[in-house]
Amino acid sequence: MAVVSWKEVILLTGMVAGCYWNSLSCGFVFDDVSAILDNKDLRPSTPLGNLFRNDFWGTPMAEERSHKSYRPLTVLTFRINYLFSELSAASYHLFNVLLHAAVCVLFLRVCRLFLDKTFSLVAALLFAVHPIHTEAVTGVVGRAELLSSIFLLAAFLAYTKSTSADHSIVWAPIALTVVLVAAATLCKEQGITVIGICCIYEVFVAQGFSLPILLDTLQQVVLGKAGFPYAVLQMLLKLIVLIISTLLLVIIRVQVIQSQLPVFTRFDNPAAVSPTPARQLTFNYLLPVNAWLLLNPSELCCDWTMGTIPLVESPLDHRNIATVFFYLFLGLLAYHSLLYRHRSAKTVIMALSLIVLPFIPASNLFFPVGFVVAERVLYVPSMGFCVLIAHGFKIISHKGYLRKVSWLMIGVLLTTHAVKTFNRNWDWESEYTLFTSALKVNKNNAKLWNNVGHALENQNNYAKALRYFLQATYVQPDDIGAHMNVGRTYKNLNKSKEAEEAYLVAKSLMPQIIPGKKYATRVAPNHLNVYINLANLIRTNDSRLEEADQLYRQAISMRPDFKQAYISRGELLLKMNKLTEARDAYLRALELDRTNADLWYNLAIVNIEMKSPSEALKNFNHALELNPRHKLALFNSALLMQESGEPKFWPEANRRFLIYVEEEPDDANGYFNLGMLAMDANENTAAERWMRKAISLQAGFRSALFNLALLYSQSKRETDALPVLDELLRYHPEHIKGLILKGDILMNHKKDTRGAKACFEEILRMDPANVQGKHNLCVVYFEERDLPQAERCLEETLALAPNEEYVRRHLSIVRSKMAAMNAAGQPITPAGGAAAQEEVPKKPEEVVQEAELKKEGSETDHTAKGPGMEEKNVRKSSSSDTLEDVEQSVRGQSEQRTKAKAPKEIKDIEEKREAALKRLEEIERILSGD
């Protein structure tokens, strides 16, 4: 076997780079969304052990919705990508391109076993540029094919060294082969088929048997005319080791999937649920379809499911001719290669083994798979195809008059394929470009119409998306997912009536329950989300909450293990204030999935509503153990600690808020609450910094503006507080506490009684029954020495708050002062009115009183912290599986992401603020008379 030179490595790598460099600008599309963006197994916070318990998409293998595709080594490489670049798509695509280059070099090494140096390079170059590989290389999930191919080729190359020069067995390469086969299988299931390729190689290449000689030898042994030759015994021993290893791998694989095949619907693979003979005729017709894609990759499509290829329902269908010709051609090649022992026959038999054996798991001939045709599964079979093409060119080139023509054909073929591959990569740039390119090839696949609609929906182009979803229902009228998409889009367009009608159509298409037959086995689990979507729609109407609850219960009755139904029902029960039932719903969901951080979070929200803060904190901590960067759990658990009033919790609350702002650096509420914690701890410098940060992110942030002004006031920086209050009142002129604080500063520190009076009068204009504003206005009258007006004002205040003793005492003090002034013959009203009054020196106790008044107002507003609670400090309920509409796509394995639900209303916070105000001790304003 000739060694691959570094020049050949550079040539192959250059060809791969030239064809695929533009793939680096592509994003995550189609199945990449589920395998990368939605897959928690990529995150460093997920234990590595989960990779070996979950399927390729991050779903536990034990769950029925699992795809049963067990590829932990492939997911591990995704996790490495995430570790270095998180979700930067370019790094994932670059990794795939490098893997494809490595496969090409290994493939060249394999070709050298059967072809000469020149035409083995031709085969490798053709493999490097073949357009059928764009899905495997440019699609990130195609990495499973690339990794599996690397180990598959390495295992085969290792096995070729299992026979020494003296024809004895070398066990080390065989052991290495078994290990590499296991690794290939852990990257993708088809990796195990390399065992069959090794067996073919051992019998027909290494031992040099032809089929007639092999049959004759076996006949001689069976008839007792001869014993097994030593070479045959060695061959059988090696084959037995390989077969036993294969059986062990199969047994382990079956145990991993718990002896369950994945659940596919007729939309994924219509022929799989078709009766005889349509099923057999269609599956056999798919073989020439795949062969044609290798021969003529001019019309490539990312999705061949649903109605892409109509069923072959009759033996008279003209497409059966293609099936017959395919089997005839394949049979002739196999007959030629098995009949003779020369080098050409060995090349053909190995090419056929590379084509046929790796394709068997995806052929639908022995067990159904979740697709009709998939271009990426042709990645390994195309190796055998490239060997056949190169071998054919070699034969032609030996004919002198065709030599130049053959090389011209090779040049044209490589050039056209390279250009096609390069252009095809642009289709994978985004989901919109990918699915619109697919519709040019196939307009009979409802999933493609749906997915173009999803791409437009992601751009918030709902009107155009609706047209594609409606077309999907026209192409496939019984497509439940398409009707669900129509309903969701109508909802996004605020057309609730049309949305409900679409959901009801989808619901009517659900299979009816057959007594004695398990419902879950006859319908895709995601189709049951129609009940969730419909319930989520109608529960926006408070008069239909019971109807929504009935839909959730109906879904649960169909599938007692339907976790999403329990989650959504828990949210509804929380809204209905049925707290015990909501708690029970979440506990049932946790029985089904104790690793769901969002479920623990929602249970904590129920605990808060049930006045169990300690239990709530425990459940928040459970959520954070599972997902240390769970944003809502971080925020609300920190808020719970802050509200507890216990200083021992403040450091941990501060830490959690800091992590939260790392996750949400543009959320002003996180910085605001850091500022409030700092104020509680009397760390004024830090509090000022956090409040300033919050205000810079959210102009007019009333909570931050008010508390920053309050901080300045408490720190005796009243001059700094006034501009902040002016900004607050510019955005929120109705902010009563801001007006009170501003009036206090103007009166007690700026001696601007006129400005203070304007603030308090504005308060009373908005709220005539505001006792604090009314009382402070009375103080202004007193400061102006307008004692009769002050008396009338305090009388009115006492009428508003007859139980407030301090108002009664202040009225008594004013009346006493008026009586003393009358007795002394002093006028109780300035001659020129308030504006013309002379400055009356204040007694020391009056100065003390003014300071206490400021303190009274400041403490009142600060203790309430009310405005800060109006924004982010309302707790929210969230789950990883619930959306306003759960079904976001019809891509098969994609699960939906969730939005938060708010179980507390703003008015609850306002009530708490008022309660806090009433609890404050009023500080008496001490006045003294002559």
Side-chain angles (χ1 to χ4, degrees):
M1 177 179 64
V3 177
V4 176
S5 68
W6 63 269
K7 291 182 180 179
E8 290 170 326
V9 172
I10 291 175
L11 176 61
L12 285 171
T13 305
M15 289 292 286
V16 169
C19 291
Y20 288 100
W21 69 263
N22 59 335
S23 70
L24 301 185
S25 64
C26 297
F28 294 116
V29 297
F30 202 17
D31 289 340
D32 298 346
V33 175
S34 299
I36 308 297
L37 300 182
D38 298 340
N39 192 346
K40 294 181 180 179
D41 288 346
L42 272 64
R43 278 51 174 178
S45 58
T46 303
L48 272 174
N50 283 20
L51 273 64
F52 296 89
R53 289 191 290 269
N54 298 341
D55 66 14
F56 185 57
W57 317 97
T59 305
M61 295 292 290
E63 292 192 12
E64 183 181 357
R65 64 190 178 94
S66 169
H67 197 268
K68 310 301 181 187
S69 47
Y70 188 66
R71 304 165 191 172
L73 293 187
T74 303
V75 180
L76 180 61
T77 65
F78 292 151
R79 185 163 173 145
I80 293 171
N81 265 122
Y82 188 92
L83 183 64
F84 286 100
S85 62
E86 294 193 350
L87 295 176
S88 172
S91 72
Y92 293 78
H93 289 295
L94 177 60
F95 200 163
N96 275 22
V97 173
L98 294 175
L99 289 175
H100 181 51
V103 173
C104 293
V105 173
L106 282 173
F107 178 55
L108 178 58
R109 290 286 300 272
V110 171
C111 290
R112 289 281 157 83
L113 295 170
F114 320 116
L115 294 168
D116 60 27
K117 184 175 181 179
T118 300
F119 285 95
S120 61
L121 182 59
V122 169
L125 287 171
L126 180 58
F127 179 81
V129 303
H130 202 295
I132 202 69
H133 299 155
T134 52
E135 183 171 347
V137 180
T138 308
V140 177
V141 295
R143 186 176 300 178
E145 321 291 333
L146 305 174
L147 286 170
S148 180
S149 298
I150 287 176
F151 289 115
L152 181 148
L153 294 173
F156 178 72
L157 287 171
Y159 184 79
T160 60
K161 298 177 181 179
S162 63
T163 302
S164 66
D166 61 357
H167 301 290
S168 61
I169 299 175
V170 183
W171 289 106
I174 293 178
L176 179 59
T177 297
V178 173
V179 172
L180 291 171
V181 170
T185 307
L186 290 175
C187 293
K188 191 173 182 184
E189 298 77 4
Q190 69 181 25
I192 200 170
T193 60
V194 70
I195 295 291
I197 298 172
C198 291
C199 291
I200 297 292
Y201 172 83
E202 179 65 31
V203 174
F204 296 104
V205 178
Q207 300 300 328
F209 283 107
S210 65
L211 187 59
I213 295 175
L214 181 62
L215 293 175
D216 182 63
T217 302
L218 292 175
Q219 184 180 12
Q220 295 293 327
V221 172
V222 171
L223 295 177
K225 296 181 179 180
F228 278 108
Y230 180 70
V232 174
L233 288 174
Q234 283 191 315
M235 177 188 74
L236 289 175
L237 182 58
K238 292 166 72 174
L239 294 182
I240 289 171
V241 171
L242 291 178
I243 292 170
I244 291 175
S245 301
T246 303
L247 290 176
L248 287 174
L249 289 173
V250 170
I251 291 171
I252 293 172
R253 183 69 173 83
V254 171
Q255 288 296 318
V256 167
I257 66 173
Q258 301 182 0
S259 304
Q260 295 179 348
L261 289 175
V263 177
F264 299 119
T265 69
R266 58 192 176 88
F267 301 112
D268 299 316
N269 190 347
V273 295
S274 299
T276 302
R279 181 170 65 254
Q280 291 77 13
L281 291 174
T282 302
F283 284 155
N284 281 280
Y285 171 67
L286 295 179
L287 301 178
V289 170
N290 282 280
W292 182 248
L293 287 175
L294 289 172
L295 280 168
N296 180 31
S298 59
E299 292 187 340
L300 300 178
C301 181
C302 63
D303 192 324
W304 296 80
T305 56
M306 302 189 84
T308 303
I309 299 176
L311 296 174
V312 181
E313 299 179 300
S314 168
L316 300 178
D317 193 309
H318 67 278
R319 289 175 293 174
N320 290 317
I321 298 174
T323 305
V324 172
F325 274 107
F326 172 79
Y327 278 113
L328 283 175
F329 180 72
L330 193 67
L332 288 172
L333 285 177
Y335 176 78
H336 166 78
S337 61
L338 294 173
L339 192 61
Y340 303 103
R341 302 177 62 185
H342 51 68
R343 184 177 177 86
S344 176
K346 294 177 180 180
T347 300
V348 173
I349 191 63
M350 291 309 301
L352 290 178
S353 67
L354 280 168
I355 292 173
V356 175
L357 294 179
F359 185 72
I360 286 176
S363 66
N364 280 295
L365 295 177
F366 299 98
F367 49 83
V369 294
F371 53 82
V372 179
V373 173
E375 293 164 11
R376 62 174 175 259
V377 303
L378 294 174
Y379 188 78
V380 177
S382 69
M383 295 178 185
F385 172 78
C386 292
V387 170
L388 280 181
I389 295 298
H391 185 56
F393 276 123
K394 177 184 176 181
I395 295 173
I396 294 175
S397 67
H398 285 168
K399 301 181 184 296
Y401 62 94
L402 292 177
R403 182 178 179 85
K404 291 183 178 180
V405 174
S406 65
W407 280 107
L408 178 62
M409 291 173 63
I410 291 173
V412 171
L413 184 64
L414 292 176
T415 301
T416 55
H417 275 33
V419 172
K420 172 65 178 177
T421 298
F422 183 83
N423 290 332
R424 173 63 174 159
N425 290 332
W426 292 120
D427 292 340
W428 290 79
E429 185 175 16
S430 67
E431 295 208 320
Y432 182 77
T433 57
L434 179 64
F435 296 127
T436 51
S437 71
L439 281 176
K440 295 175 184 176
V441 176
N442 171 33
K443 291 181 171 57
N444 296 321
N445 185 340
K447 189 184 288 189
L448 293 176
W449 292 99
N450 278 315
N451 284 336
V452 174
H454 286 307
L456 292 167
E457 189 179 33
N458 291 336
Q459 300 170 11
N460 296 325
N461 191 346
Y462 298 121
K464 191 173 181 181
L466 180 61
R467 293 199 294 270
Y468 280 89
F469 290 141
L470 288 171
Q471 180 64 25
T473 64
Y474 174 77
V475 171
Q476 190 86 36
D478 58 350
D479 182 5
I480 297 172
H483 290 285
M484 292 168 68
N485 292 335
V486 170
R488 185 182 63 256
T489 309
Y490 273 130
K491 183 177 183 298
N492 289 332
L493 292 170
N494 296 317
K495 296 182 177 181
S496 299
K497 180 180 178 181
E498 292 84 347
E500 184 173 348
E501 290 173 354
Y503 284 140
L504 288 173
V505 172
K507 181 172 174 285
S508 70
L509 293 171
M510 295 288 289
Q512 300 301 308
I513 297 177
I514 299 174
K517 188 168 183 179
K518 188 179 178 184
Y519 188 89
T521 61
R522 300 184 298 107
V523 64
N526 61 313
H527 283 170
L528 282 173
N529 287 329
V530 66
Y531 294 95
I532 309 299
N533 292 354
L534 183 56
N536 288 347
L537 176 67
I538 66 177
R539 80 183 197 184
T540 57
N541 184 342
D542 289 344
S543 65
R544 302 181 68 183
L545 297 183
E546 291 293 342
E547 186 180 347
D549 189 32
Q550 178 62 34
L551 286 167
Y552 292 136
R553 284 184 282 145
Q554 186 175 355
I556 291 171
S557 69
M558 293 177 176
R559 286 180 59 95
D561 62 344
F562 190 16
K563 178 181 65 178
Q564 185 53 57
Y566 292 105
I567 296 172
S568 298
R569 185 166 185 253
E571 294 174 356
L572 176 66
L573 293 169
L574 196 59
K575 182 177 181 179
M576 297 169 72
N577 203 32
K578 296 181 178 181
L579 302 180
T580 303
E581 292 181 59
R583 181 193 61 193
D584 293 343
Y586 286 130
L587 288 173
R588 174 59 180 140
L590 281 168
E591 290 177 11
L592 300 171
D593 182 8
R594 297 191 67 82
T595 63
N596 189 320
D598 295 312
L599 283 175
W600 290 105
Y601 172 83
N602 281 4
L603 184 58
I605 296 299
V606 176
N607 293 141
I608 289 175
E609 293 296 318
M610 297 180 75
K611 313 300 182 188
S612 300
S614 59
E615 284 298 312
L617 189 56
K618 288 179 184 178
N619 290 323
F620 278 138
N621 290 338
H622 274 304
L624 291 170
E625 287 171 7
L626 293 167
N627 181 5
R629 305 189 83 83
H630 190 291
K631 290 181 284 191
L632 286 172
L634 283 167
F635 187 93
N636 286 289
S637 63
L639 185 60
L640 187 62
M641 293 176 180
Q642 182 182 2
E643 289 177 344
S644 70
E646 297 187 35
K648 66 180 181 180
F649 287 136
W650 291 351
E652 178 62 16
N654 191 75
R655 186 188 71 83
R656 294 187 183 187
F657 278 133
L658 286 172
I659 298 174
Y660 177 80
V661 297
E662 287 178 10
E663 293 293 306
E664 292 286 344
D666 297 326
D667 186 356
N669 297 282
Y671 299 101
F672 165 73
N673 281 281
L674 281 167
M676 296 302 292
L677 268 175
M679 287 180 69
D680 288 338
N682 294 319
E683 298 173 358
N684 292 346
T685 303
E688 179 182 0
R689 183 176 73 254
W690 293 127
M691 292 297 182
R692 286 288 183 189
K693 179 67 175 177
I695 294 167
S696 69
L697 290 172
Q698 183 178 323
F701 190 168
R702 58 180 288 168
S703 311
L705 286 167
F706 176 76
N707 282 284
L708 178 59
L710 188 62
L711 174 66
Y712 287 148
S713 177
Q714 291 175 329
S715 305
K716 302 187 184 304
R717 296 169 59 186
E718 289 80 5
T719 304
D720 293 330
L722 280 177
V724 178
L725 288 169
D726 288 338
E727 183 178 355
L728 169 67
L729 295 171
R730 184 170 69 253
Y731 283 101
H732 308 285
E734 77 292 347
H735 197 289
I736 290 177
K737 295 190 186 317
L739 287 165
I740 288 175
L741 183 57
K742 181 180 179 181
D744 172 69
I745 294 173
L746 289 174
M747 181 172 63
N748 292 316
H749 300 281
K750 291 296 185 179
K751 312 305 178 187
D752 182 3
T753 55
R754 182 173 298 177
K757 185 176 183 180
C759 290
F760 300 138
E761 287 176 343
E762 178 65 16
I763 292 170
L764 294 175
R765 185 189 65 79
M766 294 184 290
D767 182 10
N770 188 289
V771 174
Q772 191 173 1
K774 186 76 171 177
H775 176 266
N776 287 6
L777 181 61
C778 301
V779 174
V780 172
Y781 291 142
F782 182 84
E783 290 295 323
E784 293 177 339
R785 298 298 184 264
D786 190 350
L787 298 184
Q789 184 66 23
E791 180 186 25
R792 287 193 297 274
C793 179
L794 285 169
E795 288 173 348
E796 292 171 1
T797 305
L798 187 62
L800 292 173
N803 297 322
E804 295 291 355
E805 186 61 30
Y806 75 94
V807 178
R808 192 181 305 278
R809 286 199 301 271
H810 294 175
L811 178 59
S812 176
I813 291 170
V814 169
R815 287 173 174 171
S816 297
K817 188 172 184 67
M818 291 173 65
M821 292 178 69
N822 282 329
Q826 297 177 356
I828 59 175
T829 302
Q837 73 176 36
E838 296 180 4
E839 180 65 30
V840 179
K842 295 176 183 172
K843 297 182 180 181
E845 54 268 35
E846 291 178 319
V847 176
V848 171
Q849 173 273 318
E850 291 175 357
E852 289 176 340
L853 178 61
K854 176 189 74 65
K855 182 178 179 184
E856 175 183 357
S858 300
E859 286 184 352
T860 297
D861 290 308
H862 173 52
T863 306
K865 294 182 192 173
M869 307 301 176
E870 293 176 355
E871 311 259 353
K872 187 70 174 183
N873 298 11
V874 178
R875 307 194 192 283
K876 298 181 181 180
S877 157
S878 162
S879 74
S880 61
D881 301 302
T882 306
L883 272 175
E884 287 299 317
D885 290 282
V886 179
E887 182 62 23
Q888 286 290 353
S889 74
V890 288
R891 297 175 186 161
Q893 51 273 43
S894 67
E895 286 294 315
Q896 301 309 331
R897 313 182 267 289
T898 53
K899 292 182 180 177
K901 311 291 178 186
K904 283 191 177 182
E905 300 295 331
I906 302 299
K907 62 182 181 181
D908 296 332
I909 303 302
E910 293 291 342
E911 290 172 1
K912 289 181 180 180
R913 179 189 310 143
E914 294 301 324
L917 288 172
K918 290 180 181 179
R919 288 195 300 268
L920 292 174
E921 178 183 2
E922 295 289 353
I923 301 174
E924 180 178 357
R925 180 183 176 98
I926 303 174
L927 301 172
S928 66
D930 291 338

